[in-house]
Amino acid sequence: VFVNVTAVNADAAGYVTVWDCDGDRPSSSALNYEPGSALPNLTVAPIGTDGTICLYTLASIDLVVDVLGQVPTGSQYVHAGPERILETREEIGQVGYTGTQPAAGQVIELQVTGVGATNVPATATSALLNVTTTNESAVGYFTVWPCGQALPTASSGNYRGVGKSTANTVVASIGDSGRVCIYVLQPVDLVVDLVGYFPGVTAS
C-alpha cells in the first residue's frame, strides 16, 4: 500500500520505520522528525499475511497514517528491501560513493540497476527511492533525475538546516547506464534506500 505517514507531538528527535509485520525490522527510516514539527512522508509498505503493516518509532510520538492507494497482486511494480544503495557518511561506512561529504552544487551519479541483493534489471524504467538528508550545514534542496538528461528546475526534497535530518520518497526515472543523478544545493550527506522498481518490458 501507498501510505502517507505524519509524525506529530515528538518528545525528541527520531525516526519511523515501516515494514510488513512478517519480516524483521529493516535498518532504514521512512521518516525523520524532531520536537515541534509535524512532518509527513510518502512510503510504500508491503502488507503482512494478516493484512497489517508495522511501524517503529525511535522516540515517543503520535503517528497519523493515511492510505493513498494500493499495488494489486499481479502489478508490474516490484517491492524491494528496502536496500541501502547510497551512503555518503564516512563514519557510518560509505555505500555507492567514495569521498568527502557532497559539496554545494555537486552531482552524484548513483548506480541503480545491477547492484546489491535486489539487482534491479537493466530493463527497469524507474525506481522508488527513499532519500534522507543529514549532517546539513545550511538550508537547501536536492534534485533527482535520470542521468543523461538536463538538470530539471524542480526539487525532489528540501533539507531544513543544521540537525534536521529529513526523508523524502522519490519516484526516479532511470537514465544512462542504469543510473540516477542527484544534485545538492548545499553540502549535505545523503542516504538512499531502494524501495522498489518498475521492471519495464524485455524485448523479444
Side-chain angles (χ1 to χ4, degrees), residues 1-178:
V1 287
F2 288 89
V3 291
N4 197 65
V5 181
T6 303
V8 294
N9 299 328
D11 290 338
Y15 61 85
V16 179
T17 300
V18 183
W19 77 104
D20 76 90
C21 298
D22 295 338
D24 296 331
R25 174 166 59 92
S27 59
S28 60
S29 65
L31 172 68
N32 296 74
Y33 54 81
E34 69 270 344
S37 63
L39 296 171
N41 193 25
L42 174 70
T43 189
V44 179
I47 302 172
T49 53
D50 61 353
T52 61
I53 62 173
C54 283
L55 297 97
Y56 165 85
T57 64
L58 181 66
S60 179
I61 194 169
D62 285 317
L63 294 174
V64 180
V65 179
D66 298 305
V67 177
L68 303 180
Q70 63 174 318
V71 181
T73 301
S75 168
Q76 282 193 336
Y77 175 77
V78 179
H79 186 77
E83 180 178 5
R84 185 134 310 161
I85 58 173
L86 178 67
E87 170 65 81
T88 67
R89 294 173 292 181
E90 292 184 86
E91 68 274 18
I92 300 297
Q94 294 178 326
V95 177
Y97 179 86
T98 55
T100 58
Q101 182 187 62
Q106 184 170 335
V107 174
I108 297 168
E109 296 187 358
L110 175 61
Q111 187 68 41
V112 174
T113 64
V115 297
T118 303
N119 193 24
V120 175
T123 54
T125 58
S126 57
L128 198 68
L129 307 174
N130 193 67
V131 183
T132 301
T133 58
T134 190
N135 296 335
E136 303 91 338
S137 58
V139 173
Y141 65 86
F142 65 90
T143 299
V144 181
W145 81 102
C147 290
Q149 297 185 18
L151 170 66
T153 56
S155 70
S156 301
N158 298 72
Y159 39 101
R160 299 166 293 130
V162 178
K164 296 183 178 180
S165 298
T166 306
N168 198 42
T169 300
V170 176
V171 178
S173 295
I174 299 172
D176 290 350
S177 302

